[in-house]
Every structure is written in structure tokens, then in C-alpha cells.
């Protein structure tokens, strides 16, 4: 069921209030009018009775001396006619016993009130109105006491008409007030209702989750304050929800990252155990064979070489795993210093010279001077690893070029080879731990797939970057950018 709207309620309230006021005022006015009329009537009748009493007493004392009752019976009719003619009203006289003594209109039917007469006979005034007629009974008091009773019958139609007119007038006033108050109430409340509707629309928008618009009520009253309050609330909810949303997506991202890390960790542990198993199986196999053929010198020789090789492999592997784990989890021993990159790269190339010469690989160096701010040991590890890979994955009689130049705020080291190269789509994956493009080739060359993962971590620790780029003459090309050392400025 639809409720009565606020504007109708308000208008009805104002109308009822004003009608109540008009009603009370009308009752007071009508009461006043009616009591005024009664007073006037009583005064008028008292005056008439007074003059009638004077006339009758005068007749009684100046005429033949008879008792009051006889006087009334003898003179009553003529006195009634005289007083009736003088007043223009019907006058009826009674003696002190209540017997009718005279009537100014003897032929008109008389409907007198015995009760009122009884009162008047006890020397009291009594009157009653019936329709537009007033019946007024008053004692006639002479010098010797009560002579009788005089009764006036008068028309009060004028007074009644006046009273009815006032009632009509007040009724019109009441209806007018009701209509005007409802109309004014509606006009006034329409404006208020429009403002309230605006506020309601604003709260509806908030409920639907639309925080884009203000309530937009520019007023300096309570509704204006309410509008400000709603706007402030809308902004606060919006900010909280945005913060909550951001928090939620942060949490989701953190959770996803955590799950990814967990997955990576599991994979890492699986790979480590797998890589550890292979050399251990070989060592165990040789141990078993030696147990069976103790005196076989060839086997002994073979076992010594292989066990030493696998032990080295185990050692390298463990070292790499531990270093990687330390880099990821703990603050590792990182001591940046001013490093002459040109000299460092020359040193690394020198160390590799023996191996490249042995394999017939030409090693070229094109090194410009550059000073960087980095951990020297880490740099050594990075470039030894890169050159090691360039040798491992090269072709017979291939070449390696190591270059260094300055680009902006960085020193760029490029390591290019003429080897087997890396397929473009795998260029990102080779930095994942244990990832190898070709397992057999990696195994043959003693690789475990951890080298580049470690190199990338170490480069990032130096605030640098490493990328694989296109090698024009085939093969692979790695570019490492490291921040240049900046002399502290003297102030
Ligand atoms: P590995 O110990 O197997 O060499 P790395 O992490 O150093 O492990 O390298 C990961 C993989 O990237 C290698 O197995 C190899 O397939 C590929 N790779 C690395 N360097 C080169 C290169 N210079 N030329 C061709 N392939 C390379």
C-alpha cells in the first residue's frame, strides 16, 4: 500500500491546525454573540417589565381600593391591551394566584408554560425560547407585595438570523482557511519534497554502488547540512572501498606470488635431487665394480677419473645451489667498490685463453675503459660464466668477442659467440634454474642449467640488467648493463 506522501501529511496537518484554531475562535465568537444577545434581551425585557410594573402599580394605587386579585381581574384585560399596544408585543397578565387576568391578543391561541409561571409567582424571572419566540415571565411587584405576573411573548427572529449569519460566515472562513492552507502547504512542501527527493536519489545511488555524483543540494538549512553529510559519507565510503579493493588485489597478487614461489621451490628441490642423483649413481656404480674387480688396473684408472669428474660436478652443483639459495633468501656478502671493468674483463679473457686455444676458438676483446660500482667477486663470477658458456656451446674453430663500451649512465658488456645459438622463444627461459635448451649437450659439457640463473641474480644485485640479443653472424649474444661509478661531487 502506498503511504501518504510527506507533502500531503504536512498540508493536512497545517489544515487541521488552522481549522482547529478557526473552530476555537468561532466557538468563542459565537459564545460571545449569544451571551451578548441574551444580555441585551434580558435588559430590554427588564426595562419593559419595569415600565409595565410602574404603569400597573400606578393604576392600582390611584384607582378604587380593592384587593390585588380583584384589581387584576378587573383591570387586567385593559392593562394588557394597553401594554401590548405600547410595546408591540403580546402581553398576558396573571393575578398572584396564577389565574389569567388579561391578554393583549385574546383571540390568538395561548401556549403558556405553567413551570415558568410557577417560577414567576415565586417572585422570580423566568423565560424560555421556542423557535423564534421568547416567552418571558416576570413578577409584578406593587407596594403591598406581588400583584401578579406579566408575560411578554416576543419574536427573536432577528437575533436568530444574525446568529445564523455569523455561523455561516465562520463556516465560510473555516472552509477558506482549509483550502488556502492545503494549497499553501502543498506549494511549500513541493519545494521541500523536491529537495528530499534529491537526497533520496543520492542515497539510492550510493546503495547501488555509484559513488560518482554529489547530492548537489545547495541550501543553508538542515537539508543542506544533510546533503553535505551524505556527500561526505559517499566520499568516505568510496575511499574505503577503493582502499579495500586495492588491498584485496594486493592480497590476491601476494597469494598468487606465494603460490608461484612455492611451486618454483618444489620444482627447484626436485631438480636439485635429480641432478645430485646422477653423479652419485655413477660413483656408486664404480664403487660396486671396484668391489668385484679389485685388480683390474684399467677399471681402477677409469674409476679414478670418472669419480673425480663426478665429484667435481657434485661440488660445483652444490656450490651453485647454495649460492643461489643464499642470493634469494639472505643478505649475501655484497661489497660494492670502484671496479675498473676494462681491466677485470682483460683478466677474465686471459684466464680463459688456455681453454679457447685448446679448442681452436678465437677470443677477441674490444674493451673501452669503464669504471663501475659493483662487487668485484660477483663480476668475476658473471663474466667467467658467460665466457664459459660461449666456449661450451661454440663450434670448432669458432670465435668469441667480448666488448665493453659506455652507453649513457651504464657500462655495456657484450659477449658474442659463433656457437649453436639460442632459439628466440627460449631466450627468457634460459635464466630459469635448471633450464637447459638441450639436456644432452648440457650434460656432455658438465652443465646443470644453474649458471645463467645465478648470473642473472648477481647482475640484478649490482643494479644491472642482462638480456639475450640477436647475433648477426649466428650464435649467441648476451648484453649486460652495469651502472657507472659516479665521483662524489665536492660541495
Ligand atoms: P649450463 O650449466 O647448462 O650451461 P646455464 O644456466 O649456464 O646452464 O645455461 C642455460 C642453458 O642456456 C644452457 O643449457 C644452454 O642450453 C643455453 N646457453 C647458455 N649460454 C649459451 C650460449 N652461449 N650459446 C648457446 N646456448 C647457451
Amino acid at each position: 500500500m502506498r503511504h501518504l506522501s510527506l507533502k500531503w501529511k504536512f498540508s493536512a496537518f497545517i489544515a487541521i491546525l488552522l481549522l482547529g484554531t478557526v473552530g476555537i475562535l468561532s466557538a468563542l465568537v459565537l459564545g460571545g454573540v449569544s451571551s451578548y444577545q441574551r444580555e441585551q434581551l434580558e435588559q430590554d425585557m427588564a426595562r419593559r417589565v419595569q415600565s409595565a410594573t410602574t404603569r400597573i402599580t400606578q393604576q392600582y394605587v390611584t384607582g378604587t381600593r380593592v384587593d390585588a386579585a380583584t384589581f387584576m381581574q378587573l383591570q387586567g384585560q385593559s392593562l394588557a391591551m394597553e401594554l401590548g399596544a405600547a410595546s408591540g408585543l403580546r402581553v398576558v397578565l396573571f393575578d398572584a394566584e396564577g389565574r389569567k387576568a388579561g391578554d393583549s391578543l385574546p383571540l390568538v391561541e395561548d401556549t403558556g408554560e405553567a413551570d415558568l409561571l410557577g417560577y414567576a409567582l415565586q417572585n422570580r424571572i423566568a423565560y424560555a425560547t421556542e423557535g423564534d419566540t421568547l416567552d418571558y415571565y416576570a413578577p409584578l411587584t406593587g407596594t403591598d407585595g406581588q400583584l401578579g405576573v406579566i408575560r411578554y411573548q416576543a419574536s427573536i427572529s432577528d437575533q436568530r438570523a444574525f446568529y445564523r449569519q455569523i455561523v455561516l460566515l465562520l463556516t465560510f472562513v473555516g472552509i477558506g482557511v482549509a483550502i488556502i492552507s492545503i494549497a499553501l502547504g502543498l506549494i511549500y512542501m513541493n519545494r521541500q519534497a523536491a529537495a528530499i527527493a534529491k537526497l533520496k536519489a543520492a542515497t539510492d545511488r550510493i546503495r547501488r554502488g555509484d559513488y560518482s555524483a554529489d547530492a548537489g543540494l545547495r541550501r543553508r538549512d538542515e537539508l543542506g547540512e544533510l546533503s553535505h553529510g551524505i556527500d561526505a559519507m559517499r566520499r568516505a565510503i568510496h575511499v574505503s572501498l577503493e582502499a579495500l579493493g586495492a588491498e584485496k588485489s594486493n592480497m590476491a597478487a601476494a597469494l598468487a606470488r606465494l603460490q608461484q614461489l612455492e611451486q618454483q621451490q618444489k620444482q627447484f628441490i626436485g631438480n636439485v635431487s635429480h641432478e645430485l642423483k646422477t653423479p652419485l649413481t655413477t660413483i656408486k656404480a664404480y664403487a660396486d665394480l671396484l668391489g668385484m674387480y679389485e685388480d683390474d688396473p684399467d677399471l681402477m684408472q677409469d674409476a679414478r677419473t670418472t669419480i673425480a669428474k663426478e665429484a667435481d660436478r657434485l661440488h660445483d652443483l652444490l656450490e651453485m645451489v647454495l649460492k643461489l639459495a643464499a642470493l634469494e633468501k639472505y643478505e649475501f656478502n655484497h661489497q660494492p667498490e670502484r671496479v675498473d671493468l676494462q681491466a677485470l674483463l682483460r683478466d677474465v679473457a686471459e684466464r680463459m685463453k688456455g681453454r679457447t686455444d685448446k679448442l681452436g676458438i678465437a677470443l677477441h676483446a674490444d674493451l673501452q675503459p669503464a669504471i663501475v660500482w659493483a662487487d668485484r667477486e660477483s663480476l668475476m663470477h658473471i663474466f667467467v660464466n658467460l665466457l664459459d658458456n660461449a666456449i661450451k656451446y661454440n663450434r670448432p674453430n669458432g670465435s668469441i668477442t667480448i666488448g665493453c663500451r659506455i652507453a649513457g649512465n651504464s657500462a655495456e658488456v657484450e659477449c658474442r659467440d659463433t656457437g649453436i645459438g639460442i632459439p628466440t622463444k627460449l631466450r627468457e627461459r634460459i635464466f630459469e634454474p635448471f633450464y637447459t635448451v638441450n639436456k644432452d649437450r648440457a650434460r656432455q659439457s658438465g652443465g646443470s642449467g644453474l649458471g645463467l640463473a645465478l648470473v642473472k641474480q648477481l647482475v640484478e644485485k649490482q643494479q644491472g640488467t642482462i638480456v639475450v640479443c640477436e647475433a648477426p653472424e649466428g650464435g649467441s649474444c648476451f648484453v649486460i648493463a652495469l651502472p657507472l661509478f659516479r665521483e662524489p661531487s665536492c660541495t
Side-chain angles (χ1 to χ4, degrees):
M1 199 185 92
R2 202 179 147 75
H3 293 291
L4 205 58
S5 73
L6 205 59
K7 60 182 179 185
W8 279 106
K9 277 184 190 165
F10 179 76
S11 304
F13 172 72
I14 295 289
I16 289 169
L17 198 70
L18 288 178
L19 272 180
T21 312
V22 168
I24 291 167
L25 285 177
S26 301
L28 289 173
V29 167
L30 289 175
V33 166
S34 127
S35 76
Y36 175 76
Q37 283 184 334
R38 198 171 54 245
E39 251 172 52
Q40 288 296 309
L41 192 73
E42 282 174 359
Q43 280 174 11
D44 184 43
M45 295 315 290
R47 254 194 324 274
R48 287 177 196 282
V49 170
Q50 177 66 45
S51 62
T53 307
T54 311
R55 172 70 190 96
I56 292 168
T57 314
Q58 185 190 23
Q59 181 77 13
Y60 178 59
V61 293
T62 56
T64 326
R65 279 306 283 179
V66 285
D67 63 288
T70 314
F71 168 77
M72 287 303 287
Q73 287 305 324
L74 290 174
Q75 301 287 326
Q77 183 55 34
S78 64
L79 282 168
M81 295 298 278
E82 182 192 324
L83 291 169
S87 64
L89 307 177
R90 183 179 191 173
V91 176
V92 182
L93 294 175
F94 301 90
D95 67 13
E97 300 301 319
R99 288 182 302 250
K100 197 172 184 177
D103 189 343
S104 64
L105 298 172
L107 301 177
V108 180
E109 193 199 351
D110 182 12
T111 53
E113 289 262 353
D115 290 352
L116 299 179
L117 180 61
Y119 269 110
L121 287 170
Q122 289 166 25
N123 208 14
R124 285 186 290 186
I125 291 171
Y127 63 87
T129 53
E130 195 182 319
D132 286 349
T133 308
L134 168 78
D135 247 345
Y136 188 90
Y137 289 79
L140 286 170
T141 314
T143 44
D144 302 338
Q146 187 169 357
L147 287 173
V149 168
I150 184 167
R151 169 185 166 212
Y152 279 104
Q153 204 176 40
S155 166
I156 52 167
S157 60
D158 286 354
Q159 288 183 347
R160 281 283 154 94
F162 178 70
Y163 188 84
R164 275 197 297 274
Q165 264 185 353
I166 290 190
V167 170
L168 201 67
L169 185 76
L170 290 174
T171 309
F172 281 133
V173 169
I175 293 170
V177 162
I179 291 171
I180 290 172
S181 57
I182 286 176
L184 289 180
L186 281 178
I187 290 168
Y188 175 73
M189 275 313 281
N190 251 340
R191 283 194 54 225
Q192 310 304 319
I196 292 170
K198 252 186 169 180
L199 295 180
K200 185 177 172 298
T203 54
D204 281 350
R205 280 198 299 276
I206 293 173
R207 204 180 51 218
R208 286 197 308 273
D210 172 5
Y211 305 99
S212 56
D214 271 0
L217 203 63
R218 308 271 171 268
R219 292 170 62 127
R220 289 181 185 200
D221 56 9
E222 286 83 349
L223 286 178
E225 280 170 19
L226 183 60
S227 168
H228 281 311
I230 290 174
D231 287 342
M233 191 178 70
R234 173 187 66 75
R235 282 191 291 273
I237 293 176
H238 196 193
V239 169
S240 309
L241 280 181
E242 273 185 346
L244 220 67
E247 198 66 25
K248 206 172 145 189
S249 56
N250 281 347
M251 293 278 281
L255 193 71
R257 177 85 189 115
L258 222 65
Q259 283 168 344
Q260 192 192 7
L261 283 177
E262 196 186 331
Q263 189 57 33
Q264 281 176 0
Q265 207 172 32
K266 272 186 193 160
Q267 206 177 338
F268 187 79
I269 291 170
N271 284 331
V272 170
S273 24
H274 177 77
E275 292 297 324
L276 288 177
K277 254 184 219 158
T278 320
L280 283 175
T281 313
T282 313
I283 291 170
K284 181 153 191 323
Y286 271 102
D288 289 347
L289 281 173
L290 284 175
M292 285 191 282
Y293 310 104
E294 274 173 21
D295 303 327
D296 186 337
D298 290 344
L299 178 67
M300 184 69 92
Q301 180 58 34
D302 207 13
R304 195 180 294 134
T305 325
T306 311
I307 288 172
K309 195 175 141 206
E310 293 301 326
D312 278 350
R313 194 172 152 75
L314 268 177
H315 176 263
D316 289 353
L317 189 73
L318 278 174
E319 202 159 79
M320 293 258 226
V321 168
L322 290 176
K323 199 153 193 176
L324 253 182
L327 271 175
E328 271 178 13
K329 290 234 162 154
Y330 314 108
E331 267 307 302
F332 95 121
N333 193 12
H334 177 70
Q335 287 174 334
E337 59 182 301
R338 210 174 158 277
V339 179
D340 180 347
L341 200 57
Q342 187 188 40
L344 185 131
L345 288 170
R346 235 181 238 144
D347 185 14
V348 175
E350 208 51 52
R351 288 189 196 189
M352 293 291 172
K353 199 96 179 81
R355 275 183 69 200
T356 50
D357 287 349
K358 207 163 124 193
L359 293 165
I361 296 171
L363 178 59
H364 308 290
D366 176 14
L367 307 170
Q368 289 177 15
I371 307 291
V372 292
W373 184 251
D375 178 60
R376 181 181 292 277
E377 209 177 301
S378 297
L379 289 187
M380 283 299 271
H381 190 101
I382 291 165
F383 296 119
V384 165
N385 232 288
L386 278 188
L387 282 177
D388 188 47
N389 278 351
I391 298 169
K392 272 193 317 195
Y393 300 107
N394 219 316
R395 298 175 206 279
N397 303 318
S399 72
I400 299 170
T401 310
I402 183 143
C404 172
R405 62 191 185 93
I406 289 179
N409 290 328
S410 310
E412 271 187 8
V413 180
E414 187 185 83
C415 180
R416 224 166 47 226
D417 64 58
T418 53
I420 57 173
I422 302 160
T424 314
K425 59 178 183 204
L426 301 178
R427 283 179 183 175
E428 271 308 304
R429 298 212 60 192
I430 56 167
F431 295 107
E432 290 173 16
F434 294 106
Y435 187 81
T436 50
V437 175
N438 183 330
K439 280 255 173 280
D440 292 340
R441 173 102 193 213
R443 260 207 86 60
Q444 267 173 30
S445 53
S448 60
L450 284 176
L452 285 180
L454 194 56
V455 164
K456 189 167 194 269
Q457 294 268 7
L458 287 171
V459 168
E460 283 169 2
K461 282 274 174 207
Q462 320 305 314
Q463 315 298 325
T465 56
I466 177 166
V467 287
V468 182
C469 54
E470 219 45 69
E473 63 274 23
S476 310
C477 171
F478 290 83
V479 176
I480 291 177
L482 294 166
L484 281 175
F485 171 73
R486 261 192 251 152
E487 291 289 349
S489 53
C490 304
T491 48

